[in-house]
Amino acid sequence: MNSIFNFNRFALLVRRQWLDFGKIYLISLLVVTGAIIITYIFNLPKYTDDNHMPLGTVIRDGNFNMLFRIPLFLILGFAFISITASGYFSAMGQRPKAIIELMIPASTFEKWLCSVLYTGVLSVGSFYLIFYLTDLGFVSYIRHMLEGITFSTEGDEIHGLENRAVITRLFFAEFFEAGPVAYSLLIPQVITSLFLLGSIYFHRFHYIKTAVVSMIFLWVVGYTTIRFSQWMIGMKPMRASASFGSDPKLTAYLFLLVSTIVIAVFLSITTFFRLKEKEV
């Protein structure tokens, strides 16, 4: 039998870990789902009794824009995936539970792979799915409610006023068309890898300690970057031919993509070796 990876042994480990991690995951998922639904209900347009027009709507270029979805997606998504990842190896900080976890007949690679499956795949994927289904239901309802409503916009001097139908779009449709979002799709993996490492690195208060260390690190990196940029600006101006790339935005997006890949891989490898140290 392969001592590094065995599919049957890994399947049993996944089933066993669900008994512990599944409780935290399901409770967090129910809370997130309720928060999303309540927020959508609170921000639904309401009709008046006299003219049957929606109140509190924001219409731009014929689109009914639900701007609350962006902070809801970012804040709630970060909280959900970070909390679930931070609680995965929390038992390692308690000696009785840690002994039981270390005695599980599975290799270090299988335990690490199982943690990545639950935190990096299941948690992130389930949040995307819940948010999409909730958004789909409410957008369908709003489309039916605003059906037939038109608005007028000023055109140029020749065309004058133009009537357009009021429409609303799915969040992910707007999200992916807002820019090259594909370059930031691995950011959730960085977050889960970071808090997963914190859950096995710290013995107590995993989430708080990981968040504090992360904020300090980001502050140091940000301050260093700003100081370095100011130092570079103070030097002799660089010639235009020395600039890297023809499109500064594309260069920044590529840098973001490469950085997230490197950081996610580094944190995952560090988590693996930290888990291996625990096994020893």
Side-chain angles (χ1 to χ4, degrees):
M1 180 179 293
N2 193 341
S3 60
I4 298 177
F5 181 80
N6 179 269
F7 182 79
N8 293 329
R9 189 172 58 201
F10 178 72
L12 293 175
L13 177 64
V14 172
R15 184 182 304 176
R16 190 266 175 193
Q17 291 299 100
W18 177 258
L19 298 177
D20 293 332
F21 179 78
K23 298 177 182 178
I24 301 176
Y25 167 75
L26 290 178
I27 293 174
S28 301
L29 190 61
L30 289 175
V31 172
V32 167
T33 304
I36 295 175
I37 294 176
I38 292 174
T39 305
Y40 268 80
I41 293 176
F42 181 78
N43 287 276
L44 279 178
K46 300 178 181 179
Y47 284 93
T48 59
D49 295 332
D50 52 353
N51 55 13
H52 301 286
M53 293 297 292
L55 293 174
T57 59
V58 179
I59 300 176
R60 293 179 180 175
D61 297 330
N63 293 319
F64 172 68
N65 295 311
M66 296 184 290
L67 301 178
F68 69 92
R69 295 184 296 183
I70 298 177
L72 177 66
F73 177 78
L74 297 177
I75 297 175
L76 204 58
F78 172 82
F80 175 69
I81 63 177
S82 61
I83 290 175
T84 52
S86 181
Y88 187 85
F89 285 124
S90 60
M92 289 292 187
Q94 306 174 21
R95 184 177 296 273
K97 294 183 178 181
I99 295 176
I100 297 176
E101 293 291 331
L102 295 176
M103 292 179 63
I104 296 176
S107 65
T108 303
F109 177 76
E110 291 170 342
K111 294 179 180 179
W112 171 82
L113 186 61
C114 186
S115 67
V116 173
L117 175 64
Y118 274 120
T119 60
V121 178
L122 181 62
S123 297
V124 177
S126 61
F127 177 78
Y128 284 162
L129 180 61
I130 290 297
F131 200 94
Y132 172 78
L133 293 177
T134 305
D135 185 65
L136 177 63
F138 278 89
V139 166
S140 300
Y141 171 76
I142 293 174
R143 284 176 178 175
H144 177 73
M145 185 172 58
L146 299 180
E147 185 177 359
I149 297 178
T150 59
F151 78 106
S152 297
T153 58
E154 289 190 13
D156 51 31
E157 296 179 355
I158 299 177
H159 296 87
L161 296 180
E162 178 184 0
N163 292 328
R164 299 180 184 176
V166 180
I167 60 175
T168 185
R169 305 179 63 190
L170 292 174
F171 170 76
F172 285 105
E174 295 182 351
F175 190 73
F176 279 93
E177 291 183 3
V181 184
Y183 295 105
S184 62
L185 289 180
L186 292 178
I187 292 180
Q189 302 303 325
V190 175
I191 297 175
T192 55
S193 301
L194 175 63
F195 282 89
L196 185 64
L197 175 60
S199 68
I200 194 173
Y201 188 84
F202 299 109
H203 296 285
R204 299 177 60 187
F205 307 108
H206 313 86
Y207 190 88
I208 298 176
K209 291 181 179 179
T210 305
V212 171
V213 172
S214 301
M215 287 188 293
I216 294 175
F217 176 78
L218 290 176
W219 183 87
V220 172
V221 172
Y223 178 79
T224 304
T225 303
I226 293 175
R227 297 294 296 177
F228 180 76
S229 301
Q230 293 176 347
W231 177 72
M232 291 293 293
I233 293 175
M235 296 179 65
K236 293 182 179 180
M238 299 180 63
R239 292 181 300 177
S241 59
S243 61
F244 178 77
S246 58
D247 189 353
K249 290 185 178 181
L250 181 59
T251 302
Y253 290 137
L254 289 174
F255 177 78
L256 174 63
L257 177 62
V258 174
S259 300
T260 51
I261 293 176
V262 172
I263 294 175
V265 171
F266 173 77
L267 293 175
S268 298
I269 294 176
T270 306
T271 302
F272 173 79
F273 282 103
R274 180 62 177 175
L275 180 60
K276 190 175 183 179
E277 292 177 359
K278 290 283 186 178
E279 294 287 342
V280 175

